[in-house]
Amino acid sequence: AQTVTQSQPEMSVQEAETVTLSCTYDTSESDYYLFWYKQPPSRQMILVIRQEAYKQQNATENRFSVNFQKAAKSFSLKISDSQLGDAAMYFCAYSPYNAGNNRKLIWGLGTSLAVNP
Amino acid sequence: EAQVTQNPRYLITVTGKKLTVTCSQNMNHEYMSWYRQDPGLGLRQIYYSMNVEVTDKGDVPEGYKVSRKEKRNFPLILESPSPNQTSLYFCASSNRGSGANVLTFGAGSRLTVL
């Protein structure tokens, strides 16, 4: 069974600094997708970034980028120039490429990120 | 605005009193799903639906029912709520062709069962 592990329950960063959140996963599949979702205090689940496993190039979305290491089954999120609005719970999630009828995501337990002014 | 709308956002009820959490999406998505989020357990899928009149169980379906009579709506029904169903509930939807299983989530419904 696929699993997603986020080993850092809490992290903090100074405003304008860079922080990296860790995620590892376990799967026997060769094709899959990985995601980072952000959940601010409003509780809304917001997609931050996604990565297709067949792509070697790391995904980037503005200040957010990932370090995808397929062989190591590692998928870390780097937030550059951290802003106060980045404070949230961050979830790593996995989905198989051929999900069939169910597009279920497998979720990590989250990392709570605090941004200090 | 493309969105998934859940109601109510907050609800306190008592054990055994039937309730329905509504979910509606305006993106013409085929796929819809319900998750519950609990501390220490993360997000777990309750039910999903691939299209109208097609629903199936997720990982934690006990105590819940769903229906998909219209493409845009996917209500979650708790016939006889119990305190262990106190949780934060999310509805999500996705287009068949969107690829990457990208889900759009509703804002969440905080349910407390006394």
Side-chain angles (χ1 to χ4, degrees), chain B residues 2 7 9 21 27-28 34 48 54-55 60 62 73 94 96:
Chain B
N7 280 296
R9 295 288 312 281
V21 185
M27 296 165 283
N28 201 35
W34 277 101
Y48 68 94
V54 181
T55 64
V60 288
E62 295 79 17
N73 296 323
S94 173
R96 184 192 298 273

Side-chain angles (χ1 to χ4, degrees), chain B residues 43-102:
Chain B
L43 282 91
R44 296 175 293 168
Q45 190 187 54
I46 304 171
Y47 268 95
Y48 68 94
S49 170
M50 198 57 208
N51 215 323
V52 175
E53 302 292 1
V54 181
T55 64
D56 207 346
K57 297 176 181 178
D59 296 320
V60 288
E62 295 79 17
Y64 304 95
K65 288 175 56 178
V66 293
S67 68
R68 189 90 182 271
K69 294 183 171 60
E70 303 167 285
K71 195 173 186 179
R72 64 183 294 125
N73 296 323
F74 190 45
L76 180 69
I77 304 158
L78 286 73
E79 292 273 0
S80 182
S82 62
N84 65 11
Q85 293 179 296
T86 293
S87 187
L88 177 59
Y89 291 87
F90 286 100
C91 181
S93 71
S94 173
N95 196 345
R96 184 192 298 273
S98 66
N101 292 353
V102 176

Side-chain angles (χ1 to χ4, degrees), chain A residues 6 19 32 37 47 66 83 90-91 101:
Chain A
Q6 294 179 248
V19 64
Y32 48 87
Y37 277 87
L47 177 66
V66 298
Q83 301 175 359
Y90 286 82
F91 290 94
N101 287 333

Side-chain angles (χ1 to χ4, degrees), chain A residues 33 35 37 39 42-45 47 50 52 89 91 95-97 99-105 107-109, chain B residues 9-10 31 35 37 40-43 45 48 50 59 88 90 94-96 98 100-103 105-108:
Chain A
Y33 300 100
F35 307 86
Y37 277 87
Q39 187 177 39
S42 67
R43 304 193 317 242
Q44 178 81 48
M45 200 66 77
L47 177 66
R50 69 182 183 187
E52 291 90 338
M89 184 74 82
F91 290 94
S95 177
Y97 184 78
N101 287 333
N102 189 5
R103 299 185 175 189
K104 182 177 74 173
L105 297 182
W107 299 81
L109 295 185
Chain B
R9 295 288 312 281
Y10 304 89
Y31 177 87
Y35 288 84
Q37 183 180 17
L41 297 175
L43 282 91
Q45 190 187 54
Y48 68 94
M50 198 57 208
D59 296 320
L88 177 59
F90 286 100
S94 173
N95 196 345
R96 184 192 298 273
S98 66
N101 292 353
V102 176
L103 297 179
F105 283 84

Side-chain angles (χ1 to χ4, degrees), chain A residues 14-103:
Chain A
Q14 291 296 127
E15 196 175 3
E17 297 294 309
T18 296
V19 64
T20 298
L21 309 183
S22 300
C23 173
T24 58
Y25 58 95
D26 188 26
T27 183
S28 58
E29 305 284 337
S30 58
D31 290 327
Y32 48 87
Y33 300 100
L34 296 163
F35 307 86
W36 280 99
Y37 277 87
K38 169 184 177 182
Q39 187 177 39
S42 67
R43 304 193 317 242
Q44 178 81 48
M45 200 66 77
I46 302 165
L47 177 66
V48 175
I49 201 165
R50 69 182 183 187
Q51 174 80 42
E52 291 90 338
Y54 61 86
K55 290 186 178 179
Q56 292 186 335
Q57 185 174 5
N58 289 324
T60 299
E61 288 287 344
N62 300 315
R63 297 184 294 108
F64 298 87
S65 61
V66 298
N67 183 4
F68 173 49
Q69 302 289 330
K70 191 173 183 179
K73 296 181 182 175
S74 171
F75 183 61
S76 60
L77 175 70
K78 186 172 80 171
I79 306 174
S80 304
D81 185 25
S82 296
Q83 301 175 359
L84 296 177
D86 294 332
M89 184 74 82
Y90 286 82
F91 290 94
C92 179
Y94 163 96
S95 177
Y97 184 78
N98 289 315
N101 287 333
N102 189 5
R103 299 185 175 189

